[in-house]
Amino acid sequence: MSEHSKKNLIQMKNVDKYFGEFQALKNINLEVQRKERIVICGPSGSGKSTLIRCLNRLEKHNKGQVYIDGKELTDQIKDINAVRREVGMVFQSFNLFPHMTVVKNLMVAQQLVRKISKADAKQSAMHFLERVKIPEQANKYPIQLSGGQQQRVAIARALCMKPKIMLFDEPTSALDPEMINEVLEVMVDLANDGMTMICVTHEMGFARSVADRIIFMDLGEIVEESKPSEFFDNPKNERTKNFLQQILTH
Amino acid sequence: MIVDYTLIAESLPVMLKGIGITFQLLFISGFLGLILAIFLLLMRLSGKWYLSFPAQVYIYIFRGTPILVQIFIIYYGLPQFGFIRSSIFWPILREPMGCAIVALSLNTGAYVSEILRGGVLAVGKGLIEAGSALGMSAYQKFVYITAPIATRIALPAYSNDVISLLKSTALASTITIADMTGIARTIVANTYAPYEIFISLAIVYLIFTFILQKSFGYLEQYLGRYTKREE
Amino acid sequence: MAALNGWWDDYFWGAFVIFQVFFCSLGFMIIFGLLGAIAKLSGNKVAHRVANAYTVAFRGTPEILVILLMYFGAAIFLTSVAQIFNPEAKFIDIPPFWAGTIAISLIVGSYATETFRGAFLGVNPGSIEAAKALGMSDVQTFIYIRIPEMWRIALPPFGNHMLSLIKDTALISIIGLNETMFVAKQAITVTGKPFTMYIVVGAIYLGFSTVVTLSVMGLEKFGERTTVGAK
């Protein structure tokens, strides 16, 4: 099946996911096209993180199919790392490698996974560090950077792999309020450049201005899915209405 | 009570002749034990029961029995078997030094593998996930992420084990080896001056312990340089 | 295996000696450890220095050396004291059981000092403040709040200390304690089967280690009932 003929970059069909007895994902159906910007929101425990972690197989789905760029995610190892090269992930707790400098953090996967030469990797690293506006931090260790800076480095690290898709798992939830904007700015930039992205977040301002589609999840199900204008002004489902009330009144 | 300083002055050089043996025991057993520990660690982490289980049993036995018993089993016990005496290992196992090094290595290997395992388990899960998300293979994640961080975390406990190993070398004196303790015991048997001899010997060991601790302290600082905020 | 016939009851009594040493040394170890910890935690500079000297001395000296020193040294000491009163007095012995028990209690006690000290420091200061706010006296706070919480924290490393006590007991055979190693030595001269005899010793010690380890695991579970909350 040619990758170019597949319109959908991401496809999830009837996906279920269990943690022991507990069902985290119930019958998830999702299609994402190239250049689409999706925001997933919902209360804690709704399965949002689990959903995107199934897309790079950090979690394994139990039932249904997951396709990334036409390739189905199964247990064959070669497939998994090939897919992961194309899917970038940014974590809530940044997860920068503490024992490597910022620039080494950006270079290590390029060299090991994409087999890029050291010189090229460094060039690429500095390019993306400039993109996220902190090239001067290149030789520092992560612990010497602020939270906002660390998260921007994490975004740059994912971008260095030139992924087709970027997944963001609550990227600003662990940041002090004054640092949230610097990270959101980078993400908006990325969106404007045409990156396909799925973002789990509570930042509704970001959602409203950037997202093509907003997905609301609750108790493991996709409850509602619509464009931002409809989503915020005209939510259809009761649960969506309740959630929006709680989130928007503070 | 009068302290016989001349006795100390005469005996110390004699005891220090045993330093070479003590160091051999410490460094050779330490090195071999570390290699063994890494093997055991990989067996434990392999996820395959036929590798993990034997490693666990080995560790359990060697950590659950006194090292003196292990030394005696190897030195006194193994010659009981004909197949040992005619094997290629016999030249090593016939000698007290060979037996002592084998026993100390086998013992420290078990302890150190648990220490290394503790270090590996302490590496933040998120860091491994970041490696996975970047497409790194299991081997790459272990070598470039887990191992460097685990080494730094495990270092304090490892340094304690090296000091324990130093103290265990004194047990070689029970199987006729003339390390510092062995020589000391002979002197005491002749002179009946346990205080002077044993206390001065203890001070020698304390000095070595101090040197080891300081060295590991510097190593810990060097490895931990990325954990400090200030440049 | 037939060689063991007739030796089982000797081994049994040897094991009983291990059991006795364990309980006596356990008590002393706790006392030495608590005293050391309290000394280090108090503001008192002298107490601090003494406790520090204690931990450094006993953590850096080989166990066998401490045992030899305690045994021979105490004998010399007591003999010279006795000769002050009665010049005809011959050699006064201190039984290996007590020399060894005190020796290993002092050694493991020096490690326990650090364990208890760390555990006391690990008690939640909020709990102490709450107790004070409720009007509890210092003594009451110590007994009802500090000690229970300290034990819960100290339990895992304390389990290791208990294992050390058990294993160090084998070393006391060097000064003639009639436990299993000693039994094995005699059995070997009669049966000529050193491997078999020492393996039994190993198995007995392994048995004791297992019982202690399981008990500590059970106690840990019991302690956890107050900290592992509902999900």
Side-chain angles (χ1 to χ4, degrees), chain A residues 183-213:
Chain A
V183 174
L184 289 181
E185 270 170 27
V186 168
M187 290 166 66
V188 167
D189 256 351
L190 214 52
N192 289 336
D193 278 345
M195 173 65 76
T196 313
M197 49 164 61
I198 304 186
C199 191
V200 173
T201 186
H202 297 299
E203 295 294 321
M204 290 305 152
F206 173 80
R208 197 191 272 267
S209 56
V210 169
D212 296 312
R213 254 193 293 160

Side-chain angles (χ1 to χ4, degrees), chain B:
Chain B
M1 199 167 323
I2 314 153
V3 177
D4 189 348
Y5 286 111
T6 37
L7 182 60
I8 298 182
E10 284 166 0
S11 315
L12 264 181
V14 183
M15 291 195 287
L16 287 175
K17 282 213 191 121
I19 267 194
I21 306 260
T22 300
F23 277 172
Q24 275 179 45
L25 289 167
L26 177 63
F27 287 115
I28 300 179
S29 308
F31 178 72
L32 293 176
L34 187 56
I35 310 253
L36 174 62
I38 295 177
F39 264 114
L40 288 170
L41 174 71
L42 293 175
M43 285 170 75
R44 283 280 260 137
L45 296 176
S46 69
K48 305 196 167 76
W49 66 267
Y50 50 86
L51 289 177
S52 178
F53 186 67
Q56 281 182 291
V57 171
Y58 175 90
I59 294 169
Y60 173 67
I61 291 179
F62 274 88
R63 280 167 36 116
T65 51
I67 179 163
L68 189 65
V69 176
Q70 295 162 15
I71 293 176
F72 277 28
I73 289 180
I74 294 178
Y75 182 65
Y76 292 115
L78 289 183
Q80 180 181 323
F81 300 111
F83 72 85
I84 300 263
R85 294 196 300 271
S86 49
S87 77
I88 46 163
F89 297 117
W90 185 232
I92 300 177
L93 294 175
R94 192 178 55 196
E95 297 299 318
M97 270 303 272
C99 288
I101 290 179
V102 168
L104 289 173
S105 308
L106 292 177
N107 183 277
T108 183
Y111 281 93
V112 173
S113 84
E114 277 300 288
I115 290 171
L116 294 179
R117 194 175 79 97
V120 166
L121 290 178
V123 175
K125 205 178 118 178
L127 298 173
I128 311 292
E129 288 192 341
S132 300
L134 288 165
M136 290 165 82
S137 70
Y139 170 81
Q140 289 170 335
K141 283 180 287 191
F142 189 77
V143 170
Y144 292 94
I145 305 177
T146 307
I149 299 179
T151 306
R152 177 189 61 85
I153 295 177
L155 201 56
Y158 179 70
S159 70
N160 278 334
D161 188 83
V162 172
I163 291 173
S164 275
L165 183 58
L166 172 65
K167 296 196 288 180
S168 300
T169 60
L171 293 178
S173 64
T174 62
I175 52 172
T176 77
I177 293 179
D179 73 320
M180 297 195 294
T181 306
I183 298 176
R185 289 172 74 181
T186 318
I187 299 179
V188 170
N190 290 332
T191 64
Y192 263 99
Y195 282 117
E196 286 88 341
I197 306 297
F198 285 146
I199 292 187
S200 47
L201 182 63
I203 294 178
V204 174
Y205 277 108
L206 282 176
I207 294 176
F208 285 137
T209 303
F210 179 74
I211 295 176
L212 279 175
Q213 279 176 328
K214 263 276 182 266
S215 311
F216 274 109
Y218 286 128
L219 190 56
E220 277 172 47
Q221 272 197 329
Y222 173 72
L223 287 186
R225 63 202 187 287
Y226 60 80
T227 53
K228 311 264 194 326
R229 296 211 101 111
E230 312 81 22
E231 261 287 86

Side-chain angles (χ1 to χ4, degrees), chain C residues 188-221:
Chain C
I188 291 170
T189 53
V190 173
T191 64
K193 298 257 184 241
F195 186 80
T196 317
M197 294 308 163
Y198 283 126
I199 287 283
V200 173
V201 174
I204 292 175
Y205 274 105
L206 194 58
F208 276 111
S209 297
T210 308
V211 168
V212 168
T213 306
L214 289 177
S215 313
V216 170
M217 285 195 334
L219 283 174
E220 279 179 39
K221 275 247 141 58

